[in-house]
Amino acid sequence: MEASVLLEKEAVENLIPQKFPFVMVDRMFSYSETALVSGLKIQDSNIFLEENIFLEAGLIEHMAQSVALHTGYQFFLKNETAPTGYIGSIKDIQIKRLPQINDTIQSNVTILQEFAGVTLVDIVTFLNDEEIASGQMKTVLAK
């Protein structure tokens, strides 16, 4: 499922509010107004590793930061500074498998609805071609 990379680690980090060691997305494969594909190579320095397994909290944070990356890139394209966003809700998260150190995960974000700074998204995370997590998130931009 590995595709060509649109943005690498440094560019991605400039588009999200999180900073090292809390960055859980390090590449962007594709972007449109209604979708984004992001990725993360799980390094040994990751704070969500336990016995070489990437924990549930890290996987959920990766999903949330993928949404933040979509917003950040959207504002970047308009030459505007992205406002800080917050997770309003997390719904129907299913984690089927946890990735390990050196694995590269990929998340597909689909914008379902966007209105007045509130965005509802579906997110599906893959390891290779296997779906390992999915769910919905609602994010809210700070005013």
Side-chain angles (χ1 to χ4, degrees):
M1 185 167 247
E2 190 79 17
S4 62
V5 178
L6 185 60
L7 292 178
E8 297 281 355
K9 183 176 175 49
E10 188 175 316
V12 166
E13 288 182 9
N14 288 326
L15 296 172
I16 61 173
Q18 294 80 10
K19 301 301 173 217
F20 181 83
F22 207 67
V23 174
M24 297 299 134
V25 60
D26 64 6
R27 59 196 76 177
M28 184 171 75
F29 295 104
S30 68
Y31 168 89
S32 74
E33 284 195 23
T34 58
L36 175 123
V37 179
S38 66
L40 173 69
K41 179 166 183 173
I42 301 163
Q43 307 286 343
D44 62 359
S45 60
N46 194 293
I47 61 173
F48 288 112
L49 272 179
E50 188 173 288
E51 297 180 12
N52 295 330
I53 303 293
F54 191 55
L55 300 175
E56 291 90 344
L59 203 48
I60 292 168
E61 185 60 30
H62 163 74
M63 295 165 92
Q65 288 184 24
S66 296
V67 178
L69 178 58
H70 184 274
T71 302
Y73 195 66
Q74 196 172 45
F75 278 83
F76 168 78
L77 291 175
K78 297 187 281 187
N79 285 326
E80 297 176 12
T81 302
T84 301
Y86 302 95
I87 297 173
S89 68
I90 298 174
K91 182 177 162 187
D92 298 329
I93 295 289
Q94 294 184 359
I95 297 176
K96 300 173 182 175
R97 180 174 167 210
L98 295 174
Q100 300 180 15
I101 192 170
N102 295 321
D103 283 342
T104 298
I105 56 176
Q106 185 171 309
S107 285
N108 298 349
V109 176
T110 304
I111 309 300
L112 300 175
Q113 195 172 46
E114 196 167 20
F115 181 74
V118 178
T119 305
L120 177 63
V121 300
D122 262 337
I123 307 169
V124 181
T125 301
F126 295 89
L127 175 59
N128 301 315
D129 288 325
E130 178 189 352
E131 181 182 314
I132 62 168
S134 63
Q136 278 192 355
M137 287 187 183
K138 187 180 290 182
T139 61
V140 181
L141 296 181
K143 304 252 181 208

